[in-house]
């Protein structure tokens, strides 16, 4: 994910040197690294040591997962990897898999420092980063670079970006994008060998322990769905899906042990990993689940409780292509919607909307080129930016929350000559966001993630997640209006507040809200705007497996 932020210009000389050192030995393509160019091509010893000293961290920044701020001076004797990321960036989250591999392979030699430089204003608030760190199970030290000071000193231009610093405190090189393990690992191994006699193998103090959430509670619920009698909750942080009697609040079933994994079956063996989007089949017999971190779509038979994989292999997809359901590779599927028996998937990791057609046993892209952008046009030529929530209007128009473009857009998927358009948010821009009501392109949102159609009022209701607000959109006039919320908080009643709400489901004149960072499901009386919090009973019967 690239940025055009003007603050990247300072420190460009240092960054040019750093990235040139790696670029001289490797190349990148499409944001993913090649895997051979850093390997030595001769039998002569390779000098991996840097020449230029790394700039020190500035003082007075907030740190997470450490008892006190770290300095590069204090880390001399260690190989240091700086990871520049932003928590709303899925490629940044994917990059942690390679970082974890490196840390596991070099536990004594390597120290990982994650530099959080938030794209959005909301992402620069330390409290929100703390929640994201817990949600994504990140244990590395995190520094909140909320004014882009560290980012600028290195001349960073996109997320994710990595910098390697040798044990003498000198710059070795840098790398951008994901899939970098095969490029970076030989360099770390070379540094570990070259500095073997001087490396400080003393481990950093462990991260302060985060008190575990009570068993009988939700953890970062990401989505909700309703049937005639039940409410379904993607209890994302607990890696499970709950079935709740929507009248009494009694938890009737929990699908998933709480351990992140990909296991089908029933009872206590089933595993999910960060499930998000939910939708109930038209006949009410099946719940479809976007099992986001597993890169699959799951199906729960609501009569038997049996969980199966509908689409995906469990391996992340990088090249979008039509494939059979048991062979297709998906990438961070998020929101789900059904239309005429066909399942539509917001494929956030590929910046596309896909179709899963069970009758033909295939999955294929329906909207978007897979190049991230905010450009409308014919369905196959449009550019999307991490679409998340989906909702159909009665006339068959598909509306979607395009999170990274901070826009609510539409796609005419029922038309062979269909196109995309925008109902709220500036077009052709990935950097223009904010919190401004208005009409069409004058509207500014901040990373919206959910959208539902209110059939009675004939309008959209959206979760403007990073503004912690619910808003309405008149699709005839394109007027967007703040409805409920006034900054992050947790208050019920008429002046209710939310904290990064992530999912919506409408049931007559009741709106259910997955209030993600408040670990709660909120209930909104649509007519009065009154908000209450759902009280779950019986959740203690379904303890989390640790």
């Amino acid at each position: 994910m690239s940025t055009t932020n003007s603050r990247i210009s300072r420190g460009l000389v240092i960054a040019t040197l750093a990235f040139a050192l790696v670029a001289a030995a490797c190349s990148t393509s499409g944001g993913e690294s090649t895997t051979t160019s850093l390997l030595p091509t001769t039998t002569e010893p390779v000098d991996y040591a840097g020449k230029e000293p790394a700039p020190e961290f500035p003082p007075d920044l907030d740190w997470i997962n450490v008892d006190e701020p770290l300095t590069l001076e204090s880390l001399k004797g260690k190989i240091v990897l700086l990871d520049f990321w932003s928590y709303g960036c899925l490629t940044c989250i994917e990059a942690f898999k390679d970082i974890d591999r490196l840390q596991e392979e070099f536990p004594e030699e390597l120290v990982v420092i994650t530099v959080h430089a938030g794209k959005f204003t909301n992402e620069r608030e330390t409290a929100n980063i703390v929640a994201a760190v817990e949600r994504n199970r990140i244990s590395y030290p995190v520094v909140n670079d909320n004014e882009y000071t560290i980012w600028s000193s290195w001349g960073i231009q996109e997320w994710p970006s990595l910098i390697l610093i040798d044990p003498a405190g000198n710059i070795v090189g840098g790398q951008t994008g994901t899939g970098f393990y095969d490029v970076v690992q030989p360099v770390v191994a070379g540094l570990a060998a070259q500095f073997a006699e001087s490396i400080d193998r003393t481990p950093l103090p462990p991260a302060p322990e985060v008190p575990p959430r009570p068993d009988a509670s939700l953890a970062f619920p990401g989505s909700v769905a309703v049937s005639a009698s039940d409410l379904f909750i993607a209890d994302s942080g607990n890696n499970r899906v709950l079935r709740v009697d929507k009248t009494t609040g009694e938890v009737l079933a929990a699908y998933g042990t709480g351990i992140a994994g990909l296991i089908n079956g029933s009872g206590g063996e089933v595993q999910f990993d960060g499930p998000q989007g939910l939708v109930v089949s038209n006949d009410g017999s099946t719940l479809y689940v976007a099992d986001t971190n597993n890169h699959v779509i799951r199906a729960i038979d609501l009569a038997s409780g049996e969980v199966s994989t509908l689409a995906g292999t469990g391996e992340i997809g990088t090249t979008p292509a039509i494939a059979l359901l048991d062979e297709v590779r998906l990438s961070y599927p998020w929101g789900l919607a059904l239309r005429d028996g066909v399942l539509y998937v917001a494929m956030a990791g590929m910046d596309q909307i896909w179709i899963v057609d069970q009758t033909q046993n295939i999955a294929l892209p329906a909207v978007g080129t897979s190049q991230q952008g905010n450009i409308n046009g014919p369905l196959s030529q449009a550019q999307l930016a991490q679409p998340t929530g989906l909702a159909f209007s009665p006339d068959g128009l598909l509306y979607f929350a395009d999170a990274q473009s901070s826009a609510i857009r539409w796609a005419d998927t029922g038309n062979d000559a269909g196109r995309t358009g925008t109902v709220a948010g500036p077009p052709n821009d990935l950097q223009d966001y904010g919190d401004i009501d208005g009409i069409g392109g004058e509207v500014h949102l901040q990373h919206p993630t959910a959208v539902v159609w209110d059939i009675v009022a004939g309008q959209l209701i959206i979760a403007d997640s990073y503004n912690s607000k619910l808003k309405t959109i008149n699709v005839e006039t394109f007027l967007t209006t703040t409805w409920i919320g006034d900054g992050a908080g947790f208050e019920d009643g008429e002046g209710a507040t939310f904290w990064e709400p992530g999912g919506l489901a409408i049931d007559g004149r009741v709106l259910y809200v997955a209030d993600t960072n408040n670990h709660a499901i909120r209930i909104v009386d649509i007519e009065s705007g009154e908000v209450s919090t759902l009280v779950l009973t019986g959740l203690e019967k379904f303890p989390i497996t640790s």
Side-chain angles (χ1 to χ4, degrees):
M1 180 184 297
S2 62
T3 176
T4 58
N5 195 300
S6 62
R7 286 176 286 189
I8 66 175
S9 58
R10 291 181 292 155
L12 205 54
V13 174
I14 291 176
T16 299
L17 170 65
F19 281 89
L21 288 168
V22 172
C26 72
S27 62
T28 59
S29 176
E32 294 199 5
S33 310
T34 57
T35 60
T36 59
S37 52
L38 268 183
L39 300 179
T41 57
T42 73
T43 57
E44 295 296 321
V46 177
D47 183 6
Y48 289 100
K51 307 301 181 186
E52 294 289 329
E56 184 56 87
F57 296 130
D60 302 323
L61 296 181
D62 289 341
W63 286 76
I64 302 164
N65 284 344
V66 291
D67 289 322
E68 58 184 27
L70 300 177
T71 66
L72 290 177
E73 179 65 29
S74 69
L75 294 174
K76 283 184 177 178
K78 296 284 191 182
I79 303 166
V80 177
L81 187 152
L82 303 182
D83 168 40
F84 290 84
W85 67 296
S86 181
Y87 74 73
C89 158
L90 286 180
T91 54
C92 298
I93 303 304
E94 181 65 21
F96 277 107
K97 294 180 181 178
D98 277 353
I99 292 172
D100 291 343
R101 289 182 67 188
L102 292 167
Q103 184 68 85
E104 289 169 7
E105 190 170 346
F106 302 98
E108 297 179 338
E109 301 90 343
L110 181 67
V111 170
V112 176
I113 307 295
T114 71
V115 182
H116 190 276
K119 170 185 174 179
F120 295 97
T121 303
N122 182 75
E123 292 175 336
R124 300 172 199 163
E125 296 292 331
T126 299
N128 298 336
I129 303 171
V130 169
V133 165
E134 181 184 351
R135 184 166 67 243
N136 291 290
R137 311 162 203 154
I138 296 167
S139 59
Y140 305 114
V142 182
V143 56
N144 179 10
D145 190 24
N146 61 339
E147 295 294 333
Y148 281 51
T149 308
I150 306 173
W151 173 285
S152 298
S153 71
W154 286 98
I156 302 298
Q157 299 187 49
E158 62 182 88
W159 302 274
S161 288
L162 305 179
I163 298 289
L164 270 179
I165 302 169
D166 71 22
N170 294 324
I171 303 164
V172 176
Q175 183 68 32
T176 63
T178 58
F180 51 77
Y181 173 83
D182 290 330
V183 172
V184 177
Q185 190 277 347
V187 182
V188 177
L191 288 167
Q194 185 171 338
F195 288 85
E197 294 184 1
S198 60
I199 279 184
D200 178 2
R201 300 182 184 275
T202 306
L204 288 183
E209 288 204 16
V210 177
R213 297 197 58 74
D215 279 344
S217 67
L218 303 176
F220 300 103
S223 184
V224 280
V226 291
S227 67
S229 59
D230 296 329
L231 170 70
F232 298 93
I233 302 170
D235 191 10
S236 310
N238 285 325
N239 303 306
R240 63 182 180 177
V241 177
L242 302 179
R243 183 177 186 175
V244 178
D245 184 310
K246 65 184 182 184
T247 302
T248 65
E250 180 185 2
V251 179
L252 305 175
Y255 309 98
T257 64
I259 296 175
L262 178 51
I263 297 178
N264 291 319
S266 59
E269 60 191 15
V270 174
Q271 292 180 359
F272 293 87
D273 190 354
Q276 289 289 337
L278 307 172
V279 67
V280 181
S281 63
N282 294 332
D283 63 5
S285 66
T286 304
L287 178 69
Y288 298 107
V289 182
D291 194 3
T292 302
N293 294 342
N294 278 324
H295 313 293
V296 297
I297 306 299
R298 313 283 287 278
I300 302 175
D301 184 310
L302 294 176
S304 68
E306 188 79 13
V307 178
S308 59
T309 299
L310 172 64
T313 65
E315 297 292 328
I316 189 171
T318 57
T319 304
I322 185 172
L324 298 177
L325 295 185
D326 61 355
E327 297 177 357
V328 69
R329 289 191 174 192
L330 311 179
S331 179
Y332 292 99
W334 210 276
L336 301 177
L338 275 168
R339 180 75 178 180
D340 298 328
V342 175
L343 186 64
Y344 288 77
V345 182
M347 200 68 66
M350 288 185 179
D351 301 305
Q352 292 179 311
I353 297 171
W354 279 49
I355 286 174
V356 172
D357 191 331
Q358 298 180 70
T359 61
Q360 299 189 54
N361 192 36
I362 59 171
L364 69 159
V367 185
T369 64
S370 194
Q371 178 178 348
Q372 188 171 100
N374 182 10
I375 298 176
N376 291 316
L379 298 181
S380 63
Q381 299 175 29
Q383 293 181 8
L384 316 185
Q386 209 169 296
T388 48
L390 303 176
F392 277 99
S393 65
D395 61 2
L397 206 58
L398 178 62
Y399 291 92
F400 60 97
D402 204 32
Q404 284 291 338
S405 68
S406 294
I408 304 298
R409 302 169 67 181
W410 55 264
D412 186 3
T413 56
N415 188 334
D416 290 339
R419 301 179 63 85
T420 66
T422 301
V423 292
N428 308 321
D429 199 324
L430 292 177
Q431 307 298 327
D432 203 356
Y433 64 88
D435 186 9
I436 300 174
D437 292 348
I439 296 175
E442 68 188 32
V443 174
H444 285 65
L445 309 173
Q446 190 178 188
H447 203 272
T449 57
V451 56
V452 293
W453 181 263
D454 181 352
I455 194 169
V456 174
Q459 66 180 3
L460 295 171
I461 301 174
I462 69 168
D464 189 6
S465 301
Y466 282 4
N467 285 321
S468 295
K469 293 181 178 182
L470 304 183
K471 298 182 178 182
T472 61
I473 302 177
N474 183 316
V475 297
E476 298 296 330
T477 65
F478 288 8
L479 175 64
T480 297
T481 306
T482 296
W483 178 34
I484 305 173
D486 185 19
F490 193 4
E491 296 289 336
D492 283 338
E494 294 183 359
T497 52
F498 307 90
W499 188 9
E500 289 191 18
L504 303 174
I506 197 164
D507 185 27
R509 306 317 291 148
V510 172
L511 179 72
Y512 293 95
V513 181
D515 194 6
T516 304
N517 282 1
N518 279 324
H519 313 289
I521 304 301
R522 316 292 291 281
I523 303 172
V524 183
D525 182 309
I526 295 176
E527 296 301 332
S528 68
E530 189 87 8
V531 178
S532 59
T533 299
L534 176 66
V535 177
L536 297 175
T537 61
L539 190 55
E540 68 278 359
K541 299 176 185 176
F542 306 97
I544 295 294
T545 302
S546 59

